């Protein structure tokens, strides 16, 4: 008879998410993960199989938390102007950096790292960033200036805005100066004005 797990899987995933978020996929060593999650090597492998499987579960958790929170904000009818919803997302991302959080976006970090060589991770990243892009598309439909665009034009604009978002979050992680990051936010505001 197998022994029951002596740890909470959700808690372990949350802790692993913070290790990967801080160090990146490649930078998160097994000792980092074990220490950060408070697990033994055997427990980690028994529960999550390997580092990649753990990372995929962490990306799914990140999407269900951070990405869905962003999508909800982009769809929030209490902010009637969709362009303002988009700007809130950018301003919030910038403010987190100013407040000292230079981790950027876990999906953006994965997009610039392991998704370049791993198809499963690339698929997870694409799914999460696609959800944000779709949220931006919805917000553009609620923007008086952009609601009249046809579907292809609005889609192209949503693609450009998600590219700006990925750039902002990746540059934040690279510790690019605040003035440059602020200029990215301002450029999105100009684009949406």
């Amino acid at each position: 008879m197998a022994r029951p797990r002596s740890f909470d899987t959700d808690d372990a995933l949350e802790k692993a998410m913070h290790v990967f978020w801080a160090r990146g996929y490649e930078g998160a060593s097994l000792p980092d993960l074990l220490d950060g999650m408070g697990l033994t090597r055997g427990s980690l492998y028994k529960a999550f199989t390997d580092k990649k499987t753990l990372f995929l579960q962490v990306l799914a958790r990140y999407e269900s938390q951070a990405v869905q929170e962003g999508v909800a904000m982009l769809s929030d009818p209490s902010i009637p102007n969709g362009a303002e919803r988009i700007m809130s997302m950018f301003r919030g991302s910038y403010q987190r950096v100013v407040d000292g959080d230079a981790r950027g976006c876990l999906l953006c970090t994965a997009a610039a790292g392991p998704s370049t060589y791993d198809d499963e991770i690339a698929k997870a990243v694409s799914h999460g960033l696609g959800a944000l892009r779709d949220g931006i598309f919805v917000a553009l439909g609620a923007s008086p200036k952009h609601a009249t665009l046809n579907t292809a034009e609005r889609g192209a604009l949503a693609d450009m805005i998600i590219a700006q978002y990925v750039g902002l979050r990746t540059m934040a992680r690279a510790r690019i100066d605040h003035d440059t990051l602020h200029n990215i936010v301002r450029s999105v505001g100009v684009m949406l004005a």
Side-chain angles (χ1 to χ4, degrees):
M1 185 162 139
R3 287 186 356 204
R5 281 201 183 115
S6 62
F7 64 91
D8 180 270
T9 303
D10 283 340
D11 182 58
L13 281 171
E14 183 71 21
K15 290 175 179 175
M17 182 172 69
H18 290 287
V19 172
F20 283 124
W21 205 350
R23 297 184 177 273
Y25 179 73
E26 289 93 355
S29 68
L30 183 59
D32 293 332
L33 289 164
L34 295 175
D35 184 52
M37 296 169 72
L39 297 180
T40 65
R41 183 182 301 255
S43 294
L44 185 139
Y45 285 125
K46 187 170 185 173
F48 303 106
T49 309
D50 57 27
K51 180 179 173 180
K52 177 182 164 182
T53 303
L54 173 62
F55 189 62
L56 288 169
Q57 289 183 34
V58 161
L59 288 177
R61 181 179 190 84
Y62 184 82
E63 182 177 344
S64 71
Q65 292 177 353
V67 172
Q68 290 310 311
E69 180 182 306
V71 169
M73 183 186 64
L74 289 164
S75 306
D76 184 358
S78 72
I79 304 171
N81 186 333
E84 187 53 40
R85 297 176 201 164
I86 295 167
M87 287 309 300
S88 290
M89 181 177 77
F90 276 84
R91 281 190 217 100
S93 296
Y94 173 73
Q95 190 59 51
R96 282 190 286 282
V97 174
V98 170
D99 292 343
D101 184 354
R103 295 176 300 174
C105 165
L106 184 59
L107 287 175
C108 299
T109 300
S115 73
T116 63
Y117 58 81
D118 187 285
D119 291 340
E120 286 180 277
I121 294 173
K123 185 177 177 182
V125 168
S126 179
H127 188 269
L129 290 177
L132 272 177
R133 182 259 183 219
D134 291 347
I136 292 167
F137 182 86
V138 168
L140 288 170
S143 168
K145 179 180 176 183
H146 304 96
T148 59
L149 296 174
N150 68 40
T151 302
E153 292 168 333
R154 199 171 349 139
L157 184 54
D159 290 340
M160 187 176 359
I161 292 169
I162 194 66
Q164 292 286 93
Y165 177 79
V166 171
L168 173 69
R169 299 300 297 252
T170 303
M171 291 171 78
R173 184 170 179 84
R175 293 179 173 79
I176 301 299
D177 66 275
H178 291 182
D179 289 340
T180 300
L181 299 178
H182 189 253
N183 284 336
I184 293 170
V185 175
R186 287 179 37 199
S187 72
V188 173
V190 169
M191 186 176 13
L192 292 173

